[in-house]
Every structure is written in C-alpha cells, then in structure tokens.
Amino acid sequence: MLRKIFVTLFVFLSFSLKSYASLGSAINDAIDNTGLGRNSVISVAVKDSDTDETLYSKHINTYLNPASSLKVFTMAAALDTLGEKYHFETIIYIDADKNLYLKLGADPLFTSANLDTLIKTLKKVYTGKIKHFYIDDTVIDKVYYPDGWAADDLWPNSPKVSPYIIDNNTVTVNFSVLKEKNDIKISQKSDYKISFINELQISDKTNIIPSLNYGENSGIVSLRGTISGDLSKKFPVLDTAQFFTCKLRKALDDNGISYSKPFYQKRVPENAKRIASYRRPAGEVVSYILKTSDNFSTEIMFKLAGGKWAKDRDEYIQKAYQTKISSSSAGTLENGREMFFDYYKKAGLITENDKINLSDASGVSRYNAFTTGWMADALVYLNQNSKIKDYMITADEGTLTRRMRELSGVLCAKTGTIFGVSSLTGYLTSKNNHNYAFSIIIQNFGVRSSVVKGLEDDIIYGIYFAE
C-alpha cells in the first residue's frame, strides 16, 4: 500500500516539476513516451470550454468508436427531452369496473423493495377484491438488444432491455463446492428459477462459462468451465415478464392482498383513476449511468426519451396541420436516434456532410462512429446549454476509481472501454484555472489496457500542468 502511495506521489511530482512550453508539447511528450502512436490510432481534441478555441488536435476528423464515452452525449439529449424535473413513474390505476392496471414506467433502477413500497401504498387506498390485475407494458418496445451488439455482449453477460424491469433483471445463483464429495451444489432463493446443466469442474481457479443450451426458448443454461470455491453469481433472467410477475405476486402476498388470477397485458383506459405510484427523479438515473457506465440503464432511458420526443413531434404536427396522423411515439431505439440527431442538429453540431453513426446509446456497438473533434465541440456546447456536467464523475470515483486522484474536483469525465478501444472524454480545470473540454480515443492497440489508460492519464496531467 505504501509503495502504491509513493509511486502515485512520484508521478504527480514529476509532472508538477516539469515545465512545458505549451499544452501541445505536453500531450505530444505523453504520446511519444508510450510509443503507442506507432501501432495505434490516437485521436485527441482539446478546446477552451469557455471560448470554443481549439488548443490541440490530433486525428480529430478520423471516425472512431467512442465506446462508453458516448453516454455523455446520448444522456444529454435524453435529459433535455425528458426535462430536469422528469420522474420515472410506476403507477397503479383503477377503472370503473374495479380492475387494476400497473403502468410500467421504464425505471431502470426499480427494485423488489420499490415494488413492495408501491403495493403497500395500494393497500392503504384500496381494500376491495381485485377483479382483474392488468399490466400496461407499452412504455418501451420489447427489442432486447440493439443492433451491433456482439455475441459476447448478449445473454448471459447483459440483462435484456425490456419494459419489465426489476432488480436489474437478474437473479443471484449460489454455488457451493463440496470438495470432499467432489460435487458442486447450485441453489437459488428467488421464486424465478433458471434451469442449469452443470458441467463445471472443481479446480484451483474459477472460470464459469454459461451458455444457452438448445436456444433461448428452452430456458436451459449450460455451465461449463471451472470453480474453485463457494461463490454467488448474478445471471440475467431469460423471461423478463415472468420474472416481473413473480415479483409482483410475491409483493401482493407479502402484503396480504389476495389475487390468484393471471396478469394479462392491457393498456390503461383513458377513464382510469390513478391510486398509487412509485417515483424516481431522472437525475438519479443519469448519475448512476455516468458513474457506473451501466449499459442496461442507458438503453432503457434512451428508448424512453425517444418515445417522448416522438410523441411531442406527433402532437406538434397534428396541432400545426389540424390533422390526425398515425402515432409513432413508441419508446424505441429508432426514435431515440431521431431524438439524438434532432438535438445536435438544432445545436448546429450535425450537418448533412457528417458521417456520424449511432447504433446504440451506451457505446457497446462496434458500428458507432464519431470523431474527437465532434465530441469536443459537443462538450463545449453542453457546457453552456446543458447540466450534464453536474452528473459526471470526478477523479477517483466510479469508473475512474484509483485514477488521477490528485485531480479530484477539477476533472469531470466519462471513460469508455471495449476490446481494442479506450476513450476518455470530459472537462478539466487546469492548475492555472483554464477550463478545457477534451476527448481522447485510442483504438487498435495491442498492449495491456492499463498502458492505454496510463497514456490517457498522462495526457490529462499534461493538460493540467501545461503553461
């Protein structure tokens, strides 16, 4: 631990004692010292975030994959569409025939505890016998994964993006290694069970490789690989609707509300009365996304915002032209894309000549293509016209934990990592109180990711201490 502290202190003092002639030479020195520029594409854009002046540029017009740094820009557009005061709401309604309706709200952080709170509220205001209990699941579509998500990004590594959301759409599975019997016991406490074919071997290392056996419809998961000791592991559920209704029935039972019929899907009628709800501010979700880089929550919020954008557009057209149109206001990725491009076109940041490609909201897709020049321009715009910076993490926080600790409070950034790509995008106030917007993408590197992250850190230190 002491050695780690001394190394960090040495790096920091090395930068503080070195006097750079310019910001440009500081960045160039950092790049040259690693040698990564010979085999990788390194793109860096630095702007004065107050004046919009370009202070450094390297390959800023080369289209590259931004990885999770993309979340800053997709969430800024989503937050603008939904509004700072927007709340995700999971609502229970009642109609004239005493039927109940649960309107799903696409709350990415909705938990079993939140559902229990909602049902407790219901019990206070409704004591009659439930005739039918319907679920309105129309808030977003049921396309589980965006285009361009590679096979190893899908189940069982990523929860399904669905209107049915609870506990991150995952269950905990416990593994117990009985070495004296050379056996492995698998147990699940959740009412929703996953069927496993256990082909694990006991070893001195753990490397569990799950896969769908006979396809998704079979609901059977094969477990191959090795396990060294007892552990708990989360698995995404295969049927999100069934998982949610299992949780709903348990919440009703736990609160003494009797209902034994199935939960059918049905839209909330216009004359239904709202009787209970659970609310979560949009800012809480954005903070969580930018701190943890959670892809699941990002895609859900982007779809939801896309649906609101499409609804607002349809209502405007109908009012302006005094005509009814076929509504296309569903919460879909396509509507999210249209929202994104509309937002940045209005900002003057996207023209017909731009070749920007947006395939998902979270930066997982290999099809995404952006330039650091565009990203730095967008950061300057967002600094003056959005509050997204307030939700970004600083040094030694979230995905920046144990990185650039000395810059805590003066650095606001978003990391990005997929195989062969690393990025860092955000804002920095330098030692001389200059405000910068920066975007870094390093692609096609063949070294350890720690080396690439080290270069990103060195570039930021170089900017911070540059004269």
Side-chain angles (χ1 to χ4, degrees):
M1 183 65 183
L2 284 174
R3 183 178 179 276
K4 203 170 188 179
I5 294 172
F6 285 132
V7 169
T8 302
L9 184 61
F10 174 77
V11 171
F12 187 72
L13 289 175
S14 295
F15 274 102
S16 64
L17 293 173
K18 188 170 183 177
S19 177
Y20 291 115
S22 68
L23 181 147
S25 63
I27 297 175
N28 288 333
D29 285 351
I31 294 172
D32 292 342
N33 287 340
T34 64
L36 280 173
R38 292 191 294 271
N39 302 310
S40 307
V41 179
I42 300 176
S43 179
V44 182
V46 182
K47 303 197 80 170
D48 186 309
S49 61
D50 296 323
T51 67
D52 197 27
E53 178 186 0
T54 298
L55 303 174
Y56 181 86
S57 62
K58 182 180 182 66
H59 298 149
I60 64 169
N61 296 317
T62 300
Y63 285 88
L64 299 169
N65 194 309
S68 284
S69 288
L70 179 62
K71 291 181 173 75
V72 172
F73 308 105
T74 55
M75 290 301 95
L79 191 60
D80 178 79
T81 299
L82 295 173
E84 289 279 339
K85 296 182 180 179
Y86 181 85
H87 281 72
F88 292 84
E89 284 194 285
T90 306
I91 309 170
I92 296 177
Y93 293 86
I94 188 170
D95 68 12
D97 296 324
K98 304 299 182 182
N99 295 309
L100 296 183
Y101 298 79
L102 177 59
K103 172 70 173 176
L104 302 179
D107 178 354
L109 306 184
F110 196 69
T111 66
S112 295
N114 299 154
L115 180 59
D116 186 68
T117 299
L118 177 62
I119 299 305
K120 279 182 167 59
T121 304
L122 170 66
K123 188 175 182 180
K124 291 178 182 178
V125 297
Y126 182 76
T127 57
K129 184 178 180 180
I130 302 174
K131 186 176 180 181
H132 293 292
F133 204 142
Y134 298 106
I135 298 178
D136 185 338
D137 60 4
T138 57
V139 62
I140 62 173
D141 68 12
K142 298 181 181 71
V143 178
Y144 295 137
Y145 300 112
D147 291 340
W149 281 32
D152 57 358
D153 293 320
L154 304 182
W155 200 99
N157 298 308
S158 298
K160 291 181 176 179
V161 177
S162 163
Y164 295 92
I165 307 162
I166 192 162
D167 297 337
N168 202 236
N169 286 353
T170 60
V171 291
T172 299
V173 178
N174 299 308
F175 296 85
S176 299
V177 177
L178 308 175
K179 293 186 177 180
E180 66 277 6
K181 295 183 180 180
N182 196 33
D183 194 15
I184 301 165
K185 180 182 178 182
I186 300 176
S187 60
Q188 304 173 64
K189 292 183 179 180
S190 172
D191 291 335
Y192 177 95
K193 306 294 185 185
I194 298 177
S195 298
F196 291 106
I197 296 176
N198 182 13
E199 300 180 59
L200 291 170
Q201 300 293 320
I202 299 174
S203 177
D204 57 350
K205 293 182 180 180
T206 295
N207 181 29
I208 298 176
I209 307 169
S211 62
L212 282 171
N213 207 69
Y214 313 117
E216 182 181 326
N217 292 333
S218 72
I220 301 173
V221 179
S222 288
L223 296 175
R224 299 181 177 88
T226 58
I227 184 170
S228 62
D230 297 354
L231 63 85
S232 296
K233 182 177 176 63
K234 288 187 178 296
F235 286 83
V237 300
L238 295 170
D239 189 328
T240 57
Q242 183 187 18
F243 182 53
F244 187 93
T245 53
C246 278
K247 295 285 187 177
L248 176 56
R249 194 172 296 282
K250 184 176 188 305
L252 291 170
D253 290 344
D254 289 348
N255 286 281
I257 299 177
S258 176
Y259 184 73
S260 58
K261 297 178 183 178
F263 298 98
Y264 295 107
Q265 287 74 47
K266 189 176 181 180
R267 283 181 177 268
V268 176
E270 292 185 2
N271 63 349
K273 179 184 176 183
R274 172 184 176 136
I275 57 173
S277 71
Y278 187 88
R279 308 174 81 232
R280 188 184 314 279
E284 181 181 338
V285 176
V286 176
S287 292
Y288 174 80
I289 287 171
L290 296 184
K291 182 176 182 178
T292 65
S293 203
D294 184 63
N295 301 322
F296 175 77
S297 300
T298 304
E299 299 299 335
I300 290 168
M301 183 166 177
F302 194 67
K303 283 187 176 185
L304 177 70
K308 183 179 185 301
W309 176 87
K311 181 180 179 181
D312 292 344
R313 176 202 57 194
D314 292 347
E315 289 178 353
Y316 172 80
I317 293 172
Q318 291 185 81
K319 185 177 180 180
Y321 296 97
Q322 296 295 307
T323 182
K324 288 187 177 182
I325 64 172
S326 178
S327 178
S328 57
S329 58
T332 66
L333 179 58
E334 186 53 42
N335 281 333
R337 287 194 194 101
E338 291 192 37
M339 169 197 70
F340 178 91
F341 284 103
D342 181 63
Y343 177 72
Y344 289 105
K345 281 178 182 177
K346 288 178 178 176
L349 290 165
I350 294 179
T351 67
E352 293 181 358
N353 296 324
D354 284 310
K355 298 179 182 178
I356 284 172
N357 188 62
L358 180 72
S359 188
D360 67 7
S362 53
V364 171
S365 174
R366 293 285 174 174
Y367 299 150
N368 293 317
F370 285 77
T371 68
T372 56
W374 183 90
M375 293 165 74
D377 286 341
L379 286 170
V380 173
Y381 172 82
L382 295 175
N383 187 51
Q384 300 168 0
N385 298 279
S386 169
K387 292 186 178 180
I388 195 67
K389 182 179 178 181
D390 296 343
Y391 301 100
M392 296 170 69
I393 59 173
T394 189
D396 198 28
E397 185 179 49
T399 57
L400 280 173
T401 299
R402 294 187 294 277
R403 291 183 65 181
M404 298 175 284
R405 291 174 174 171
E406 303 84 0
L407 303 184
S408 178
V410 298
L411 174 69
C412 295
K414 179 71 193 76
T415 60
T417 306
I418 55 178
F419 184 78
V421 179
S422 184
S423 62
L424 186 66
T425 293
Y427 303 95
L428 175 69
T429 299
S430 75
K431 185 178 181 181
N432 295 323
N433 290 317
H434 293 150
N435 296 316
Y436 299 104
F438 65 87
S439 182
I440 305 167
I441 299 178
I442 305 172
Q443 192 163 309
N444 301 331
F445 54 86
V447 297
R448 297 190 310 275
S449 62
S450 59
V451 174
V452 181
K453 301 296 183 187
L455 172 56
E456 293 170 353
D457 293 0
D458 288 351
I459 290 173
I460 298 305
Y461 278 126
I463 297 171
Y464 179 77
F465 287 111
E467 293 181 352

